[in-house]
Structure formats: structure tokens, C-alpha cells
Amino acid sequence: MDEKLKENIEKIKTLINWTNDLDATLYQVQAQYVVAMCIFNYIETLGMFLVGYYKKDEKTDEILIDKKTDKKIKTSGRKRFEKFFKELGPEYAKLIEDVKIDIYEEFRCGFTHELIPKKYKFSVVHVGRENNWYNKTEMEKERIRKQKMLDLNCSIIFDIFNKVCLIFVDILLYDFNRAKNKLINDIENGDENLMKNFNEVSEAINLKNFILPDEK
């Protein structure tokens, strides 16, 4: 692994791990809505590394070019979102595969562009306040996270008949963090397909312009 690649991996790890601040935002500040909106946006962003920044020809794997603009065609926000959303767990994958529920439209687009999900009545479940979150050890934080989580295998619970959904933000954050950490580990371990996307994304988003904190 050359020095440039090592540096880019450290930059991505730093950027992605800034999402760790969402723990305090949820448990100490109690900004459930803000955390939910951020996670749905981050899910789409991290999906770039799984599907690539640009669309590819299925047979040749070459980047597709728009004939009118002569520019590379980007992968869609929906494809990026749905790919990483499934990484949160099997029950999340089932939500994506359920044609009755457009998760991307409801939550990613709903929260970001219209303040709320578009079709369903919903509630963001409050997890309770935890003071001095920053002063707690990682072991204490993990104990609190698990203690507050209910016996649910998905953070989004739908009542299809009454069109009501509950969003358990603490579970959503826990599952997101687990998927996020797996992504980082897979990048560090040099998964071949993932590294190809990683290099493509790094160039496309101009990762070279990001200065690591210790480089200032």
C-alpha cells in the first residue's frame, strides 16, 4: 500500500468517524430529529463506496458517459442509499424490498427536503437524557446504548394498515455505527472491489483537498 493510499484511508476514517459525535447529540443533547436526519443523509453518502461514484457498464465495467454532455454518469442517490441501508441488517433489507414502502423517498428525501416523511404518520422515539456523555468511558457508553435499546431488530417499525411508523433513533444510530465500522474495516483490509470504488470516490470528491487535523 503506497503512502498516498494510506493517507487517503486516514482521511476517510477521520471524516466518517466524525459521525461519532452523533452519540452525544442523541444521548446528551437529545436532538433525536437532527440525529435521524443526519443518519439518513450519511447512509446515502457512505453508499458511494459500495456502488461506486459513477455508473458502469455491466459487461465491460467501463464508466458510462452521457452522450449529450460528454460527462461521466453518477450513480443515483437512491442506489447509494438503498445499498448501504441494507448493510444495517436483514430487517432493513426487507424494508427496501417491500414495494409498499419507498424508504428512500419517505425518509432520506422526506426528512431532508420536506422536514417529515411524506406519506406516513410518524413519531421519533425519545431515548432519555444522559448527562456528561463525553466523560463516560467507552464501556459505560456501550452499556447505556444496549440498556436503552428494546428487543427490536430494526429501528423503523411500520403499521401498514394505519400508515404509522415509529423511528427508534438509538437503534438506528447503533445499527448505523456497526455498518459504518464494518465499511472502515473492509477498506483498511483492502477488499478488492471496495478499494476500486474507494479510489474512484476519493478522486471524484477531491479528497486531496481535505487536510487532516494534525497537518495544520
Side-chain angles (χ1 to χ4, degrees):
M1 185 181 297
D2 60 36
E3 291 303 315
K4 181 180 178 181
L5 181 55
K6 288 181 181 179
E7 181 181 358
N8 280 344
I9 290 176
E10 285 305 310
K11 287 182 177 183
I12 285 297
K13 284 175 60 179
T14 299
L15 288 168
I16 293 177
N17 282 330
W18 277 346
T19 64
N20 292 340
D21 288 339
L22 291 176
D23 275 319
T25 306
L26 176 63
Y27 290 104
Q28 186 161 334
V29 181
Q30 297 186 312
Q32 282 78 217
Y33 179 90
V34 172
V35 172
M37 182 174 66
C38 285
I39 292 174
F40 288 127
N41 279 277
Y42 279 126
I43 286 172
E44 179 179 323
T45 302
L46 297 187
M48 290 189 302
F49 297 102
L50 300 181
V51 302
Y53 195 85
Y54 299 109
K55 287 185 176 180
K56 312 291 193 310
D57 184 285
E58 293 183 1
K59 295 182 179 179
T60 65
D61 200 38
E62 293 181 357
I63 295 175
L64 298 178
I65 305 296
D66 188 315
K67 294 181 179 179
K68 293 182 179 179
T69 63
D70 201 34
K71 292 183 178 180
K72 298 175 182 178
I73 302 175
K74 298 178 183 178
T75 50
S76 68
R78 175 184 291 278
K79 186 172 182 178
R80 295 174 181 181
F81 177 91
E82 292 184 348
K83 185 67 173 179
F84 196 81
F85 190 81
K86 292 178 180 179
E87 293 296 304
L88 272 61
E91 294 303 315
Y92 293 89
K94 288 181 182 179
L95 285 177
I96 289 291
E97 293 158 4
D98 189 335
V99 295
K100 301 182 182 69
I101 306 165
D102 190 335
I103 298 296
Y104 177 74
E105 184 73 8
E106 284 294 307
F107 296 103
R108 164 60 177 87
C109 298
F111 270 101
T112 301
H113 302 301
E114 298 183 7
L115 293 178
I116 59 175
K118 295 171 179 260
K119 297 178 181 178
Y120 283 83
K121 297 177 182 178
F122 80 102
S123 180
V124 177
V125 179
H126 200 285
V127 299
R129 185 180 182 86
E130 284 294 333
N131 293 319
N132 302 315
W133 182 262
Y134 284 111
N135 294 326
K136 298 183 185 299
T137 66
E138 284 305 313
M139 186 177 296
E140 289 174 323
K141 290 177 181 179
E142 185 66 6
R143 177 185 58 79
I144 291 170
R145 293 186 191 105
K146 290 184 176 180
Q147 186 179 46
K148 290 181 176 293
M149 291 171 64
L150 301 174
D151 188 21
L152 297 174
N153 51 17
C154 187
S155 61
I156 301 172
I157 307 300
F158 275 95
D159 180 341
I160 299 295
F161 298 103
N162 296 312
K163 286 195 172 183
V164 176
C165 73
L166 296 177
I167 304 171
F168 295 84
V169 189
D170 57 329
I171 300 174
L172 177 64
L173 179 57
Y174 193 89
D175 292 338
F176 169 77
N177 281 336
R178 183 175 54 198
K180 171 197 74 178
N181 292 333
K182 181 180 183 302
L183 174 65
I184 292 175
N185 289 335
D186 288 345
I187 290 174
E188 287 189 302
N189 290 333
D191 177 274
E192 185 176 347
N193 291 329
L194 189 57
M195 290 308 300
K196 183 178 180 180
N197 290 338
F198 173 78
N199 291 326
E200 179 180 282
V201 170
S202 298
E203 183 177 351
I205 67 174
N206 286 317
L207 186 61
K208 62 184 179 182
N209 292 336
F210 173 55
I211 300 174
L212 287 166
D214 58 0
E215 294 179 346
K216 292 181 180 179

